[in-house]
C-alpha cells in the first residue's frame, strides 16, 4: 500500500501565518503538521508516499528530503494548488500503486491510521472513507479498480456537505483540526499540548506533570508551574517567567524575565521581552496575532517606551564612568591577552588578529547633513573562544566607541540590512555596548530578527537598575562554560 498526501493548500485563509511558509510546514508542538502525518503513516506500517505540493514546494522538499528520517520513501508531484484530487491522481497515475491511503498533510489528524485501515478492511467496495466523530471525511482508502472518489479531500476552507458516494467508517477516539484559520491553528497547538490529539508523537521529555521540554532547552525547575506547557528544542526560559492555561513554545525561543504567557502559541525564533504579557495570541517573529479578534500588530506596541529625556540624561552622565570602568577592566584583563594570542595562533596561524568595523556611539553627519552613528575599527582575535575573541572591544569602551552595557554592536552592513522598518530602528535608542541582554541571554546562533527584537526591548525599557543587573550577570558569565566554549 502507498500513501498519497495532499499538501498543496495555498493557505490564504491562514494569513499572515502563511506569508513565509506553507500550511503543511506550520509547526504543532515543535514539528510541522506534515511531519506528524508522516509519523502516523510510519506507525501504520506504510513505507512509501507521494506528496502533492504547490506553494513553497522547494522549502517543503528541503525540509522533508527523501523521507529517510521516517524510514519512508517520498516522491513529489507539483500541482497548481488546491487542485482536484482526482485530477492529481490522473496526472501522476504512473507513480501510484493500485491501493492508496489518501489524506491531507496540511490538516492535523489525531487518529491511529492503522485503526482506520483495520476497520476499512471489513468494508467492501473500491473506496472507503474515514472520519472522526462530527468531522468531515479526512481519510480515503482507494482500492484497485476504483475510479474517482477523492472529491471529499479537496481543500475548501468551508467544507461542502455532500452525501458520500462510498461507505464511511468512523474511527473511535479520532480527532481532526482542519487548520482553516489562525484561530483553529492556535487551538490545534493548545489541544495537542493538553493531550487531546491521540496518536501524536510529542518531542522532548516530560520533566514535570504539566511540563514537556525539548532537547537542549534550558528551563528552570522553578519555572512554569501554573499551566500545561510545551517547550521545544534550543529554547531558554527564565525562571521568573509565568505560564497560565495552555502554552506552546516552538524551537529556538527565548522567554525573558517576568514575561507572562496565557493560552498562547510562540512560533520558532521568537524573543519574548522582559515583563511582556501575552494572552490568547500567536507570536510569529515581531507579529502578535490576537486570535479572538484577528488583529495583527507589532509586539513593540505592547509596552510603553522609556522617556527619551531620561534616556538622554542618563547617557550623558554614564559615558565618562563607562570609560573609567573600561580602563580598569582592560588592566585586569591583561593576563588573558597572551592566552588569546596562543588560542588564535592555534586556530588561525596565518591570520590570528583581524580588523572589523562596527557602528559605535559617536555621531557624525553624512554628506546630506543627516546625523548617524560613526563606524569605528576594532580588532578581533580569530579564536572560537567567545571571551578571548572579543577582548579587544575593551579598547573601544575606553575610547568611548562602546559602552559597557548596551545593545549588540552591528557592522554598518548589518545595520543597513536589518533596520528598515520603524520598529527595528527603535534599537538605536540604546547605545551599542560590550554586554547586554542580547549578548548575555540569546544563543550565538539566534536569527538576526530575534536579536534585533531583544535590542529593541532593551532600548525601550532600559535604566540604571537594569544596566547594573546586566553588569553583574556579565561578571558571573565569565565563569560559565558559555564564555569559554564555542557555540
Amino acid at each position: 500500500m502507498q500513501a498519497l498526501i495532499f499538501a498543496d493548500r495555498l493557505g490564504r485563509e491562514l494569513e499572515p501565518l502563511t506569508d513565509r511558509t506553507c500550511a503543511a510546514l506550520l509547526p504543532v508542538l515543535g514539528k510541522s503538521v506534515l511531519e506528524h502525518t508522516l509519523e502516523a503513516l510510519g506507525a501504520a506500517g506504510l513505507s512509501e508516499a507521494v506528496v502533492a505540493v504547490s506553494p513553497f514546494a522547494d522549502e517543503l522538499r528541503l525540509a522533508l528530503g527523501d523521507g529517510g528520517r521516517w524510514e519512508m520513501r517520498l516522491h513529489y508531484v507539483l500541482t497548481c494548488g488546491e487542485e482536484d484530487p482526482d485530477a492529481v491522481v490522473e496526472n501522476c497515475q504512473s507513480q501510484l500503486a493500485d491501493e492508496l491511503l489518501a489524506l491531507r498533510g496540511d490538516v492535523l489528524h489525531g487518529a491511529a491510521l492503522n485503526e482506520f485501515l483495520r476497520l476499512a478492511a471489513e468494508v467492501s467496495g473500491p473506496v472507503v472513507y474515514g472520519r472522526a466523530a462530527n468531522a468531515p471525511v479526512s481519510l480515503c482508502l482507494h482500492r484497485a479498480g476504483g475510479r474517482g472518489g477523492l472529491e471529499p479531500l479537496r481543500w475548501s476552507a468551508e467544507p461542502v456537505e455532500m452525501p458520500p458516494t462510498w461507505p464511511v467508517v468512523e474511527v473511535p477516539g479520532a480527532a481532526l483540526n482542519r487548520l482553516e484559520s489562525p484561530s483553529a491553528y492556535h487551538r490545534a497547538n493548545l489541544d495537542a499540548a493538553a493531550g487531546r490529539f491521540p496518536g501524536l508523537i510529542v518531542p522532548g521529555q516530560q520533566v514535570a506533570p504539566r511540563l514537556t521540554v525539548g532537547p537542549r532547552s534550558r528551563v528552570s525547575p522553578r519555572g512554569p508551574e501554573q499551566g500545561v506547557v510545551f517547550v521545544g528544542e534550543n529554547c531558554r526560559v527564565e525562571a521568573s517567567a509565568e505560564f497560565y492555561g495552555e502554552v506552546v513554545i516552538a524551537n529556538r525561543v527565548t522567554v525573558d524575565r517576568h514575561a507572562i504567557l496565557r493560552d498562547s502559541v510562540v512560533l520558532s525564533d521568537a524573543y519574548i521581552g522582559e515583563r511582556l504579557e501575552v494572552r490568547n495570541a500567536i507570536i510569529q517573529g515581531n507579529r502578535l496575532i490576537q486570535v479572538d479578534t484577528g488583529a495583527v500588530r507589532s509586539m513593540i506596541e505592547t509596552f510603553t517606551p522609556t522617556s527619551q529625556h531620561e534616556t538622554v540624561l542618563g547617557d550623558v552622565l554614564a559615558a565618562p564612568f563607562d570609560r573609567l570602568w573600561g580602563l580598569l577592566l582592560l588592566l585586569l584583563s591583561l593576563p588573558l591577552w597572551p592566552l588569546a594570542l596562543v588560542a588564535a595562533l592555534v586556530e588561525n596561524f596565518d591570520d590570528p588578529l583581524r580588523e572589523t568595523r562596527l557602528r559605535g556611539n559617536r555621531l557624525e553627519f553624512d554628506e546630506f547633513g543627516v546625523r548617524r552613528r560613526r563606524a569605528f575599527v576594532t580588532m578581533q582575535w580569530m579564536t572560537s573562544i567567545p571571551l578571548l575573541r572579543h577582548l579587544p572591544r575593551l579598547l573601544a569602551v575606553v575610547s568611548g566607541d562602546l559602552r559597557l552595557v548596551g545593545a549588540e554592536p552591528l557592522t554598518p552592513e548589518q545595520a543597513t540590512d536589518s533596520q528598515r522598518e520603524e520598529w527595528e530602528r527603535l534599537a538605536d535608542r540604546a547605545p551599542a555596548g560590550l554586554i547586554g541582554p542580547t549578548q548575555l541571554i540569546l544563543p550565538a546562533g539566534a536569527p538576526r530578527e530575534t536579536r534585533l527584537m531583544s535590542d529593541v526591548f532593551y532600548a525601550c525599557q532600559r535604566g540604571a537598575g537594569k544596566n547594573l543587573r546586566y553588569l553583574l550577570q556579565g561578571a558571573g558569565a565569565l565563569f560559565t562554560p558559555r564564555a569559554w566554549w564555542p557555540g
Side-chain angles (χ1 to χ4, degrees), residues 10-290:
L10 299 177
R12 299 187 186 96
E13 65 285 345
L14 281 166
E15 291 177 349
L17 293 171
T18 50
D19 61 359
R20 301 176 185 176
T21 190
C22 60
L25 290 182
L26 288 174
V28 172
L29 297 190
K31 291 190 292 191
S32 71
V33 176
L34 191 47
E35 286 182 79
H36 286 295
T37 302
L38 293 174
E39 288 177 345
L41 290 169
L46 279 76
S47 59
E48 187 174 3
V50 174
V51 186
V53 297
S54 184
F56 299 95
D58 291 340
E59 179 187 354
L60 191 147
R61 294 183 66 167
L62 183 63
L64 301 183
D66 61 3
R69 279 182 291 160
W70 301 276
E71 297 183 352
M72 298 184 69
R73 285 182 298 163
L74 297 182
H75 312 279
Y76 299 91
V77 295
L78 189 63
T79 78
C80 297
E82 300 178 4
E83 203 169 320
D84 178 10
D86 289 314
V88 174
V89 170
E90 196 70 31
N91 293 335
C92 62
Q93 189 70 55
S94 60
Q95 300 183 51
L96 301 177
D98 290 336
E99 191 171 34
L100 294 174
L101 173 59
L103 72 167
R104 294 213 66 88
D106 42 30
V107 304
L108 187 64
H109 296 87
L113 298 184
N114 51 1
E115 178 66 9
F116 165 67
L117 294 176
R118 185 188 67 80
L119 295 172
E122 301 173 358
V123 179
S124 60
V127 177
V128 181
Y129 298 124
R131 69 180 182 188
N134 303 315
V137 167
S138 60
L139 302 169
C140 178
L141 179 61
H142 200 276
R143 293 181 173 129
R147 293 184 62 84
L150 296 183
E151 179 62 24
L153 297 185
R154 183 170 187 170
W155 174 253
S156 173
E158 297 181 0
V160 179
E161 291 293 334
M162 61 179 67
T165 309
W166 308 105
V168 179
V169 298
E170 192 168 294
V171 184
L176 176 73
N177 188 312
R178 301 180 68 251
L179 310 180
E180 70 274 15
S181 66
S183 177
Y185 171 71
H186 171 265
R187 174 46 52 193
N189 271 275
L190 302 191
D191 285 344
R196 292 189 284 269
F197 264 85
L200 292 189
I201 300 175
V202 179
Q205 180 180 4
Q206 189 169 359
V207 299
R210 292 175 293 178
L211 172 62
T212 302
V213 178
R216 299 176 298 282
S217 285
R218 177 180 169 185
V219 180
S220 170
R222 298 183 294 106
E225 300 172 352
Q226 300 92 339
V228 177
V229 182
F230 170 85
V231 179
E233 61 183 40
N234 292 305
C235 294
R236 175 169 176 158
V237 179
E238 291 293 328
S240 56
E242 300 178 25
F243 302 88
Y244 300 95
E246 295 157 354
V247 175
V248 172
I249 297 173
N251 303 326
R252 302 175 301 280
V253 172
T254 298
V255 183
D256 214 334
R257 293 161 52 93
H258 304 293
I260 299 175
L261 295 177
R262 187 188 304 270
D263 293 322
S264 293
V265 177
V266 183
L267 300 187
S268 296
D269 301 314
Y271 171 75
I272 309 301
E274 188 172 348
R275 300 187 184 279
L276 182 65
E277 183 171 355
V278 179
R279 297 170 177 261
N280 200 35
I282 302 170
I283 294 175
Q284 183 189 42
N286 180 47
R287 292 186 294 209
L288 187 147
I289 305 168
Q290 209 70 52

Side-chain angles (χ1 to χ4, degrees), residues 44 52 72 113 134 160 307 331 377 392 419 425:
M72 298 184 69
L113 298 184
N134 303 315
V160 179
S307 166
L331 294 174
V377 176
Q419 294 188 342
R425 290 190 287 272

Side-chain angles (χ1 to χ4, degrees), residues 211-430:
L211 172 62
T212 302
V213 178
R216 299 176 298 282
S217 285
R218 177 180 169 185
V219 180
S220 170
R222 298 183 294 106
E225 300 172 352
Q226 300 92 339
V228 177
V229 182
F230 170 85
V231 179
E233 61 183 40
N234 292 305
C235 294
R236 175 169 176 158
V237 179
E238 291 293 328
S240 56
E242 300 178 25
F243 302 88
Y244 300 95
E246 295 157 354
V247 175
V248 172
I249 297 173
N251 303 326
R252 302 175 301 280
V253 172
T254 298
V255 183
D256 214 334
R257 293 161 52 93
H258 304 293
I260 299 175
L261 295 177
R262 187 188 304 270
D263 293 322
S264 293
V265 177
V266 183
L267 300 187
S268 296
D269 301 314
Y271 171 75
I272 309 301
E274 188 172 348
R275 300 187 184 279
L276 182 65
E277 183 171 355
V278 179
R279 297 170 177 261
N280 200 35
I282 302 170
I283 294 175
Q284 183 189 42
N286 180 47
R287 292 186 294 209
L288 187 147
I289 305 168
Q290 209 70 52
V291 297
D292 48 357
T293 64
V296 181
R297 57 192 175 121
S298 166
M299 284 177 58
I300 306 304
E301 298 172 359
T302 61
F303 60 88
T304 303
T306 305
S307 166
Q308 280 294 93
H309 297 293
E310 294 177 2
T311 298
V312 172
L313 178 61
D315 288 346
V316 171
L317 296 176
F321 291 101
D322 264 32
R323 299 178 72 172
L324 289 174
W325 277 107
L327 179 60
L328 176 60
L329 290 175
L330 178 63
L331 294 174
L332 292 174
S333 72
L334 288 179
L336 295 176
W337 287 69
L339 181 61
L341 173 60
V342 172
L345 287 172
V346 169
E347 296 186 46
N348 293 276
F349 183 81
D350 295 331
D351 188 19
L353 190 62
R354 186 176 299 174
E355 286 187 354
T356 181
R357 294 178 73 247
L358 298 174
R359 284 196 325 155
N361 296 313
R362 298 177 184 272
L363 299 176
E364 64 180 3
F365 292 91
D366 62 17
E367 62 271 24
F368 303 104
V370 177
R371 191 173 67 167
R372 65 182 183 184
R373 294 192 182 204
R374 189 176 73 186
F376 68 98
V377 176
T378 184
M379 308 302 292
Q380 179 173 289
W381 291 111
M382 298 310 294
T383 171
S384 58
I385 302 175
L387 177 63
L388 301 181
R389 182 168 65 245
H390 297 308
L391 274 180
R393 291 191 182 183
L394 284 171
L395 295 170
V397 176
V398 175
S399 68
D401 287 305
L402 290 181
R403 293 287 180 81
L404 275 178
V405 181
E408 184 176 41
L410 304 176
T411 67
E413 294 75 21
Q414 287 174 329
T416 300
D417 291 342
S418 63
Q419 294 188 342
R420 296 175 178 176
E421 298 185 29
E422 185 64 31
W423 74 268
E424 295 171 328
R425 290 190 287 272
L426 290 174
D428 278 341
R429 291 186 180 182

